Amino acid sequence: MTSTAHAPQASPTQAFPHRAATRPGRGRRARRALTGWLFVLPAAAMYTVFVLRPLLATLWYSLYNWDGISVGSWVGLGNYRRVLTDPQLLSSIGHAFFLILFFTVLPVIGGLLVAAMLQEIRIRGLGTLARTLLFLPQIIPGAAAAVAWVWMFSTDGTVNQLLSAVGLGGLTRSWLGDFDWALPAVGVIGTWLGLGFCTILLMAGIGKIDVSIYEAARLDGAGFFSTFRCVTVPALRAEIGVCVTVTIIAALASFDIVFMSTQGGPGYATTVPGVQIYQLGFTESRVGLASALAVVLTVLILLVVLPIQRFFRET
């Protein structure tokens, strides 16, 4: 009788040792991913509740003719057609784009020049004092700044007194009550608020530029403007992009400055979409139309900002 010896069977772990090696690694990665999601979860929950949910609700309301209280009636895209055809609503969007000149162009150009000059001067103690004075408007709420400028733009305010003192009394007027000058006057407030932010951000960007580059430019005979054009501006591409993006959003979504200074007047001379949305939703109880205008404004901001982000993105 012949006995057959059976070789012991290898366990899965012994037969495939690489599996045993990878399982602990996978477990660590899973735990690490779970830990990351747990850290993100509170912020994601807040973002969902206070950003995504209101955004979806606004999209839904924009499809109804609703006063905010009674049962709304379905109008589909009717509110959007109204936004894109109503001259008053279109003019408010045009005013917002006009404010880009004061909220973006002037602060960015002025901030570049001021930051470059402060970098060039480098007087002991002056840089800190200048940064403090320039950034001071940023710690003042926009509503408070608007109230202060209302006093300055009044008939007997600081602006008219200065014009009279230098012999330009014929130019004095009630700036915020003038149909032609009210919107530029509001823009001046935005320029004053945005200049400090742009200057501080650009000064921080200049600080990362190697000083030897400026020294080499001076040795080659480059003056202030040549150095500014060929060294400073190209090196601040990312910072300029941030300034342009933030200030354009501030111009298109402006509300507090305009509402506290003119409330959209005189007439509709300074009405911007932010003020128009507030008036439609809370004064005239036209929540559907206000929601549609808010959605259109959001889309316009994205259409303007995304190409700018792409343009200033460093390669």
Side-chain angles (χ1 to χ4, degrees):
M1 187 172 180
T2 306
S3 60
T4 305
H6 296 279
Q9 293 182 352
S11 65
T13 303
Q14 294 172 338
F16 303 98
H18 65 280
R19 292 185 179 178
T22 56
R23 282 175 184 173
R26 290 179 181 175
R28 282 195 297 269
R29 285 197 297 269
R31 287 194 298 271
R32 191 173 300 170
L34 179 60
T35 302
W37 279 109
L38 289 176
F39 276 108
V40 172
L41 187 60
M46 298 291 288
Y47 187 83
T48 301
V49 172
F50 294 104
V51 178
L52 294 182
R53 184 177 179 276
L55 179 60
L56 293 176
T58 302
L59 287 170
W60 182 251
Y61 296 155
S62 67
L63 303 176
Y64 285 85
N65 182 15
W66 185 43
D67 60 3
I69 300 175
S70 60
V71 178
S73 59
W74 175 269
V75 294
L77 299 178
N79 287 324
Y80 292 97
R81 285 194 294 268
R82 176 70 181 275
V83 170
L84 298 177
T85 57
D86 189 299
Q88 180 181 328
L89 300 180
L90 289 175
S91 67
S92 69
I93 296 174
H95 293 160
F97 276 94
F98 176 78
L99 287 178
I100 291 177
L101 171 65
F102 294 92
F103 280 65
T104 302
V105 178
L106 295 180
V108 172
I109 294 177
L112 276 170
L113 293 173
V114 172
M117 286 189 292
L118 290 177
Q119 179 70 13
E120 190 75 17
I121 294 174
R122 296 181 182 178
I123 298 178
R124 184 180 181 86
L126 179 60
T128 303
L129 177 62
R131 285 195 297 269
T132 302
L133 293 176
L134 287 170
F135 195 72
L136 187 62
Q138 297 301 310
I139 65 175
I140 301 175
V147 172
W149 277 91
V150 167
W151 296 338
M152 295 174 64
F153 278 131
S154 62
T155 305
D156 56 349
T158 306
V159 175
N160 285 334
Q161 290 180 10
L162 289 175
L163 290 174
S164 299
V166 297
L168 299 175
L171 298 179
T172 60
R173 66 191 73 239
S174 177
W175 295 94
L176 294 174
D178 190 286
F179 280 86
D180 296 326
W181 289 97
L183 190 60
V186 171
V188 169
I189 305 175
T191 302
W192 180 72
L193 288 173
L195 180 61
F197 167 76
C198 293
T199 302
I200 297 299
L201 182 60
L202 294 170
M203 285 184 67
I206 290 177
K208 73 178 184 181
I209 303 175
D210 193 347
V211 180
S212 61
I213 299 177
Y214 286 102
E215 295 175 351
R218 293 190 187 94
L219 291 175
D220 290 338
F224 171 77
F225 287 105
S226 298
T227 306
F228 175 76
R229 186 181 70 255
C230 300
V231 177
T232 304
V233 174
L236 295 178
R237 184 182 184 90
E239 287 78 8
I240 295 174
V242 174
C243 290
V244 171
T245 300
V246 172
T247 53
I248 283 181
I249 294 175
L252 296 179
S254 58
F255 172 77
D256 52 353
I257 296 175
V258 180
F259 186 79
M260 294 302 298
S261 59
T262 64
Q263 295 189 0
Y268 296 102
T270 60
T271 303
V272 292
V275 175
Q276 189 75 72
I277 292 168
Y278 173 83
Q279 293 175 343
L280 289 172
F282 295 97
T283 304
E284 302 179 18
S285 298
R286 301 163 73 182
V287 178
L289 186 59
S291 300
L293 180 57
V295 172
V296 170
L297 178 62
T298 303
V299 172
L300 286 175
I301 291 175
L302 292 175
L303 291 176
V304 173
V305 168
L306 291 179
I308 291 174
Q309 289 278 294
R310 185 178 181 86
F311 176 77
F312 283 103
R313 186 179 303 157
E314 290 185 334
T315 56

